[in-house]
């Protein structure tokens, strides 16, 4: 059984006089330990799908099955328990956290809310989480706004893995980072996936990044699935017009010497 | 080739938290008339500071040393410039100061998170492009008696088009005002000129677009308008500072080819500032690589891409994730 399966997923927004379907009958599934990428131009519905999957937005139609349960009908403690298994990392962690909160506080919250560690045990858990994402424990007392963008993204990942999730939704999580920092964050994500068997719903408009990390790829256009399949196969031989446009637009280095 | 401008030993530092933060450290380079030159580097490398220094847009608090000499005909005497009405918030916050993760396959020791002592904090390094009320005091660093005017001699395109567009004025009028200010046209002439420019930047339905407000346009359309305004007075030099970084890949490619076409048609010199070495290589004839406020190397695009002299440049090239790169993870089914 798939870890996550959505079908008929639809979300409409009012615009001007009428409505637009930001997401229009989308279906896909993610297996445990797998990375599924969502790619597509701006406005194609990627972030809306992320919010629907995370239940930050209610769909107008469609089903969301997560770990065998109908995610939409869950409520109360059952929903809270499932939420711990489904985490998120967004492009701008500064927007996701209170910038004045300390790193320790940001990591303490999920451990406390989900009852994962006792008060006395938590500082040790926080240090271990920081170490797991390649940060020193000395970062714990620093405020979120005092650390760099890449460090913040590591803290966001540490927070996401604090509750031992089976799936993390990453919405343009590496898009704002310098290439070298981006490389290290991607390495960290691959390493976490290999050791903890976490699945990723990896949203990006950058096919180069997608090709480097994703097993499978869904290309969206105007809220619909334009094509999907093995990530390298789709990028190597796109069938849809939007897939071809995305591939054609990716900047190429054309190095004549082997890297 | 003759130089359009020569930059000699340019040093810029910003004051932040009571200390002096260097942003450029003794940079010397020449920009040839009519060339497409890319400046690339990561957060805090000083590339935006260079662009602002050339455009005369550095904030009051910046300390400047060195010289920028222009070889432009018909320059005006100093103090006659008109500062732009709206200035964007220039504060790159990408990147990371320091942290360490051992033995990762994407990474290289030369770039990124190395925690190098010389690293300019991206949190403070390039933040000072903004002053209160949008007014900017021009820094008298152009040693010659004549200085170029922003808008007339230099066109500047910022990353966020909204920052350089007036939200409550129709875009046609905004472009016409640039033409009116710098070209000495009558209002009907300036307005007609603006419409021609909207056609040149390929905005759909130029007549309707003339009356549109910025919020009614997509990000890519807004950037087209910002480009139209930047070239409205026929500048010799067009500076594009991360002008496509906020756009999706498809729109980015469109804007890059638009810039290439306009620069060729008008014989402009292009200074293209980007963190993306592949994008720079697609557009520029020469590439200058910056790190920690220093110019590391400058060469033709072929030279930089195929025979970089500096290990940092090689590391940047290796960090590029192209569609032709070898596998970075084991292919096949997930574990
Ligand atoms: N809260 C909202 N209210 C109204 N319209 C919305 C809302 N959120 C999204 N939309 C619209 O839904 C469509 C899809 O937007 P979405 O943010 O999901 O795209 P995206 O693929 O994530 O784009 P990007 O690459 O720019 O992040 C767009 O037309 C957008 O304007
Ligand atoms: Mg989005």
């Amino acid at each position: 059984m798939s870890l996550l399966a959505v079908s008929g997923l639809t979300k409409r927004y009012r615009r001007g006089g009428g409505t637009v379907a930001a997401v229009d009958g989308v279906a896909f599934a993610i297996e445990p330990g797998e990375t599924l990428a969502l790619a597509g131009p701006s406005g194609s519905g990627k972030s809306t799908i992320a919010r629907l999957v995370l239940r930050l937005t209610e769909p107008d139609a469609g089903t969301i099955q997560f770990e065998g349960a109908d995610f939409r009908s869950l409520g109360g403690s059952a929903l809270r328990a499932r939420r711990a298994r489904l985490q998120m990392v967004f492009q701008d962690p500064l927007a996701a956290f209170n910038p004045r909160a300390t790193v320790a506080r940001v990591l303490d919250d999920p451990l406390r809310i989900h009852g994962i560690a006792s008060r006395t045990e938590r500082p040790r858990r926080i240090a271990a989480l920081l170490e797991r994402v390649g940060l020193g424990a000395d970062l714990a007392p620093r405020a979120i706004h005092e650390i760099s963008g890449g460090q913040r993204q590591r803290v966001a990942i540490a927070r996401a893995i604090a509750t031992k999730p089976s799936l993390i939704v990453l919405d343009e999580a590496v898009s704002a980072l310098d290439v070298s920092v981006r490389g290290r964050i991607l390495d960290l994500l691959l390493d976490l996936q290999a050791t903890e068997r976490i699945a990723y719903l990896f949203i990006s408009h950058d096919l180069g990044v997608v090709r480097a990390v994703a097993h499978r790829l869904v290309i969206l256009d105007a809220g619909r699935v334009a094509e999907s399949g093995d990530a390298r196969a789709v990028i190597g031989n796109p069938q849809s017009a939007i897939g071809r446009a995305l591939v054609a637009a990716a900047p190429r280095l054309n190095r004549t010497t082997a890297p | 080739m003759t130089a359009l401008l020569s930059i000699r030993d340019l040093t810029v530092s910003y004051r932040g938290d009571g200390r002096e933060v260097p942003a450029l450290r003794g940079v010397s380079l020449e920009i040839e008339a009519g060339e497409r030159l890319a400046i690339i580097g990561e957060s805090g490398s000083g590339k935006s500071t260079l662009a602002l220094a050339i455009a005369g847009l550095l904030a009051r608090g910046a300390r400047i040393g060195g010289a920028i000499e222009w070889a432009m005909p018909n320059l005006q005497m100093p103090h006659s410039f008109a500062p732009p009405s709206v200035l964007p918030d220039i504060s790159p916050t990408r990147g990371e100061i320091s942290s360490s993760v051992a033995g990762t396959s994407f990474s290289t020791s030369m770039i990124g998170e190395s925690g190098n002592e010389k690293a300019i904090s991206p949190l403070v390094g390039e933040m000072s492009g903004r002053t209160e009320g949008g007014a900017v005091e021009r820094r008298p660093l152009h040693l010659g008696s004549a200085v170029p005017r922003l808008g007339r001699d230099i066109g500047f395109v910022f990353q966020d088009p909204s920052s350089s567009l007036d939200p409550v004025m129709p875009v046609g009028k905004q472009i016409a005002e640039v033409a009116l200010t710098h070209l000495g046209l009558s209002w009907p002439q300036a307005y007609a000129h603006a419409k021609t420019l909207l056609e040149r930047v390929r905005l759909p339905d130029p007549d309707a677009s003339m009356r549109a407000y910025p919020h009614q346009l997509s990000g890519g359309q807004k950037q087209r308008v910002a480009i139209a305004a930047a070239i409205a007075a026929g500048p010799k030099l067009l500076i594009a500072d991360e002008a496509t970084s906020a756009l999706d890949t498809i729109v980015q490619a469109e804007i890059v080819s638009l810039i290439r076409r306009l620069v060729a048609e008008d014989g402009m010199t292009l200074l293209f500032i980007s963190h993306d070495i592949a994008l720079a290589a697609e557009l520029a004839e020469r590439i200058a690589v910056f790190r920690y406020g220093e110019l590391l190397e400058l060469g033709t695009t072929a030279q930089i891409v195929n025979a970089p002299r500096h290990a940092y440049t090689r590391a940047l090239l290796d960090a590029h994730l192209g569609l032709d790169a070898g596998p970075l993870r084991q292919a096949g089914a997930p574990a």
Side-chain angles (χ1 to χ4, degrees), chain A residues 21-164:
Chain A
V23 176
D24 194 0
V26 165
F28 59 82
I30 304 179
E31 305 308 318
E34 180 191 41
T35 298
L36 177 78
L38 294 182
S42 187
S44 59
K46 306 182 293 294
S47 296
T48 305
I49 290 173
R51 288 199 302 274
L52 291 169
V53 165
L54 291 162
R55 279 199 66 181
L56 301 174
T57 304
E58 283 303 310
D60 292 309
T63 60
I64 303 171
Q65 292 271 330
F66 178 59
E67 292 191 329
D70 175 4
F71 201 43
R72 286 189 64 192
S73 67
L74 290 179
S77 61
L79 175 61
R80 202 154 52 237
R82 277 294 146 69
R83 277 236 161 102
R85 304 281 294 158
L86 175 47
Q87 290 293 336
M88 66 200 107
V89 176
F90 293 135
Q91 173 166 354
D92 179 12
L94 206 51
F97 304 143
N98 173 356
R100 272 193 286 277
T102 62
V103 169
R105 181 61 201 268
V106 161
L107 297 179
D108 191 75
D109 282 347
L111 297 174
R112 181 172 43 82
I113 292 165
H114 293 286
I116 287 164
S118 69
R119 177 194 275 274
T120 49
E121 208 192 322
R122 290 205 290 266
R124 231 172 9 88
R125 291 293 277 270
I126 290 168
L129 281 169
L130 286 173
E131 191 192 348
R132 185 66 191 87
V133 298
L135 295 172
D138 54 322
L139 217 66
R142 301 262 292 274
I144 286 294
H145 71 85
E146 289 174 342
I147 62 176
S148 71
Q151 288 172 329
R152 274 201 290 271
Q153 212 53 305
R154 287 180 192 273
V155 171
I157 292 168
R159 179 157 101 154
I161 62 172
T163 59
K164 303 211 173 302

Side-chain angles (χ1 to χ4, degrees), chain B residues 241-252:
Chain B
D241 185 4
E242 298 280 10
T244 66
S245 305
L247 305 170
D248 76 34
T249 326
I250 294 175
V251 181
Q252 166 172 282

Side-chain angles (χ1 to χ4, degrees), chain B residues 292-303:
Chain B
Y292 308 146
E294 286 172 6
L295 172 60
L296 286 189
E297 67 175 306
L298 171 62
T300 65
T301 296
Q303 228 167 57

Side-chain angles (χ1 to χ4, degrees), chain B residues 158-176:
Chain B
F158 296 95
Q159 173 169 346
D160 175 9
S162 303
S163 65
S164 56
L165 296 175
D166 185 335
V168 296
M169 195 192 284
V171 298
K173 205 170 160 205
Q174 298 190 45
I175 299 167

Side-chain angles (χ1 to χ4, degrees), chain A residues 42 150-151 184 187 213 256, chain B residues 96 98 106 108 113 248 306 329:
Chain A
S42 187
Q151 288 172 329
R184 288 157 202 250
D187 280 337
V213 301
T256 56
Chain B
E96 174 158 347
S98 66
F106 282 94
T108 60
E113 305 173 284
D248 76 34
N306 295 316
R329 77 179 296 161

